[in-house]
Amino acid sequence: QACGWSLVLLMNLFIAFQMDGFWRLSLPWFALQPLGSFIVKLGSVSLFILIEFFYACASLVDPGSPGKKDVISDKSDRWCNYCMAPKPDRCHHCSTCRRCVLRMDHHCIFTNSCVGLRNQPHFLVFVFLTMCGSGLSALAAAPQITAAMALSGERTMRQVHL
């Protein structure tokens, strides 16, 4: 469990590092007017807060365990040998969490919990927002990378011709 929570902390540090890199490296490159800079900063902080919120929801919301109302009585042949309890369809036992999870997708090491019936929407929104944030950071860094590559190419060509 300690390893899982250290991965949760590492994930939060990665997201914060990406935000810091965007503000320190990419944003000054564009030399925006104060209003444009404020709008970009407000949007990036809003995206950061949303990512952190849905990450917390995906990590802390219970993925869903089967209850008495979830078990269908006519299918009594489904039984969890670990929990020693009947289990409904699409319920699986997680060996890491040591419990049965409804509509289990997978055990995520980054959220330190299973992705199941109740926290899957939060997890999907978190993954989508993280993908959008990473894509925007990559697009913002693209002009700098191409300029650095062009500058590096010019230096190489000068060295070859000397």
Side-chain angles (χ1 to χ4, degrees), residues 29-162:
W29 178 269
F30 294 105
L32 297 173
Q33 298 296 322
L35 180 63
S37 180
F38 174 75
I39 291 171
V40 170
K41 286 181 180 180
L42 183 66
S44 62
V45 167
S46 301
L47 182 63
F48 176 74
I49 290 170
L50 283 172
I51 287 172
E52 287 294 324
F53 173 76
F54 282 103
Y55 181 67
C57 288
S59 298
L60 301 175
V61 170
D62 182 55
S65 296
K68 293 181 181 179
K69 64 180 177 73
D70 298 315
V71 179
I72 301 171
S73 60
D74 61 344
K75 291 190 177 183
S76 60
D77 58 338
R78 302 233 345 147
W79 187 262
C80 178
N81 294 327
Y82 300 102
C83 296
M84 295 305 208
K87 63 180 185 177
D89 291 334
R90 298 191 67 198
C91 180
H92 299 282
H93 186 86
C94 177
S95 59
T96 307
C97 295
R98 296 187 182 119
R99 66 182 206 168
C100 284
V101 177
L102 290 171
R103 248 181 53 195
M104 180 178 170
D105 187 354
H106 67 285
H107 182 87
C108 182
I109 61 171
F110 297 110
T111 60
N112 195 31
S113 67
C114 289
V115 177
L117 176 68
R118 295 190 184 109
N119 67 348
Q120 189 176 31
H122 305 296
F123 181 78
L124 292 175
V125 172
F126 161 70
V127 169
F128 175 74
L129 290 174
T130 303
M131 183 182 68
C132 290
S134 297
L136 290 173
S137 294
L139 285 174
Q144 296 173 14
I145 293 171
T146 55
M149 289 173 55
L151 184 61
S152 174
E154 289 174 12
R155 287 183 188 160
T156 306
M157 292 302 289
R158 274 190 253 145
Q159 290 172 355
V160 170
H161 291 294
L162 291 178

